[in-house]
């Protein structure tokens, strides 16, 4: 299946602009999500069951869709039909926003990498909440855990970031099996300052107060570019606020593997991120028992196995799916014990 995708489908998608290919794919999966026959056909890609119990949820397998591919949550049934063990939508912001100017997604095929500077383009928390409510009332709600990744609106000052996150949290929590606080995208100015212990503690405390009734697992997504001395206070703050998991990692600003002629501003993902993200998984687990969800540079069975051996409980893929296709799910699942 991977070979067919890489030989026939990927060349067609890569013959057009990267963001146009992304829109085409999401729109195709959105339409597929409404057609039972198509959903049934997509199940040919499903990997064998590898059940996993994690933060009180049942996962049919530990391979998830990372945030960023389906920002607006329009194709949940299709992702589940393809065989993802869990699906994370977003990043969703309190206010609808168009994101950064185009072009803003760039492929580097020789490195099996992407650079993006999308800037949290999404429909906003209100519209997405209505969309999810409609799907939830239908028979199409997927039977896999759904995560919702939320971030700060670009127009909101950092001093008002907590209220911005709370607005999205209140609207979206009922639809989520877990919530992710994205404080690490490199494409929203100043966002990574929220990884600082004081700012992170304020955010987590406020979310924790509003989570007393629903008690949804809360995860924090962090950057791969943290210095060793920055990891300890982040982990300690997450522990003190009973964070359910850390997602390691977001995209990187370290573009040293990319030839200067191909370089662009934005976050780098794909194969060049593999070692850096795995190193952060190990660094977190060397300091804490807080669970880790690994994301970054998972392009094949070996890189997936590496993350599990480093101690990750779950995996998320994004760039690997773009380069390898849905058959990557079966390849990874076959390598996991």
């Amino acid at each position: 299946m991977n070979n067919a995708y890489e030989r026939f489908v990927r060349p067609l998608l890569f013959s057009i602009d990267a963001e146009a290919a992304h829109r085409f794919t999401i729109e195709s999966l959105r339409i597929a999500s409404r057609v039972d026959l198509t959903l049934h056909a997509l199940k040919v890609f499903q990997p064998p069951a590898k059940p996993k119990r994690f933060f009180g949820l049942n996962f049919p397998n530990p391979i998830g869709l990372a945030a960023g591919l389906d920002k607006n949550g329009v194709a949940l049934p299709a992702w589940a039909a393809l065989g993802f063990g869990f699906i994370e939508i977003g990043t969703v912001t309190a206010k609808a926003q168009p994101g950064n100017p185009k072009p803003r997604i760039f492929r580097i095929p020789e490195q099996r990498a992407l650079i993006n500077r999308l800037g949290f383009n999404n429909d906003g928390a209100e519209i997405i909440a209505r969309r999810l409510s409609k799907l939830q009332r239908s028979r199409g709600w997927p039977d896999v855990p759904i995560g919702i990744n939320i971030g700060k609106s670009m127009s909101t000052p950092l001093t008002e970031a907590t209220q911005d996150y709370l607005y999205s949290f209140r609207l979206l929590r009922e639809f989520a099996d877990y919530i992710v606080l994205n404080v690490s995208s490199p494409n929203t100015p100043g966002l990574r300052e929220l990884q600082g212990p004081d700012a992170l503690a304020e955010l987590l405390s406020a979310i924790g107060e509003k989570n007393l009734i629903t008690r949804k697992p809360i995860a924090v997504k962090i950057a791969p570019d943290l210095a060793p001395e920055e990891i300890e206070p982040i982990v300690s703050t997450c522990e003190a606020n009973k964070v359910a998991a850390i997602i390691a990692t977001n995209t990187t600003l370290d573009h040293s593997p990319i030839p200067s002629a191909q370089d662009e501003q934005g976050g780098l993902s794909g194969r060049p991120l593999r070692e850096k993200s795995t190193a952060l998984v190990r660094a977190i687990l060397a300091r804490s028992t807080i669970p880790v969800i690994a994301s970054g540079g998972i392009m094949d069975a070996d890189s997936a196995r590496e993350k599990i051996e480093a101690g990750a409980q779950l995996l998320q893929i994004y760039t690997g799916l773009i380069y390898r296709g849905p058959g990557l799910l079966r390849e990874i699942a076959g390598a996991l014990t």
Side-chain angles (χ1 to χ4, degrees), residues 116-129:
N116 94 79
R117 51 173 183 257
L118 287 161
F120 290 168
N121 55 310
N122 74 103
D123 292 339
E126 289 187 31
I127 289 176
I128 292 172

Side-chain angles (χ1 to χ4, degrees), residues 184-220:
S184 54
S185 170
N187 299 316
T188 296
L191 186 74
R192 288 187 171 187
E193 293 181 31
L194 297 178
Q195 294 177 123
D198 292 341
L200 185 58
E202 177 189 329
L203 175 59
L204 288 173
S205 175
I207 293 289
E209 283 186 26
K210 297 300 180 184
N211 195 34
L212 289 174
I213 297 175
T214 51
R215 296 194 179 276
K216 296 296 174 76
I218 305 297
V220 175

Side-chain angles (χ1 to χ4, degrees), residues 85-103:
F86 62 110
I87 303 159
E88 190 172 308
I89 69 167
T91 296
V92 181
T93 55
K95 304 168 187 175
Q97 54 187 39
N100 291 318
K102 300 175 183 179

Side-chain angles (χ1 to χ4, degrees), residues 239-277:
E239 288 180 328
N241 288 276
K242 297 181 172 55
V243 165
I246 293 176
I247 300 181
T249 64
N250 216 310
T251 56
T252 180
L253 289 173
D254 176 9
H255 292 198
S256 56
I258 305 302
S260 58
Q262 295 176 285
D263 201 10
E264 293 282 350
Q265 182 181 354
L268 174 67
S269 63
R271 191 171 63 191
L273 184 55
R274 173 179 172 174
E275 291 183 11
K276 187 182 283 281
S277 62

Side-chain angles (χ1 to χ4, degrees), residues 175-188:
F175 309 109
D177 292 298
Y178 69 95
I179 293 280
V180 180
L181 306 180
N182 187 345
V183 293
S184 54
S185 170
N187 299 316
T188 296

Side-chain angles (χ1 to χ4, degrees), residues 19-20 57 60 81 101 110 112 139 144 149 171 210 232 243 247 255 273 308 312 314 324:
E19 188 162 355
L57 301 171
E110 300 83 359
R112 293 215 163 184
R139 58 189 179 88
V144 300
N149 183 305
L171 284 175
K210 297 300 180 184
E232 181 68 42
V243 165
I247 300 181
H255 292 198
L273 184 55
I308 296 295
L314 298 172
R324 302 292 314 285

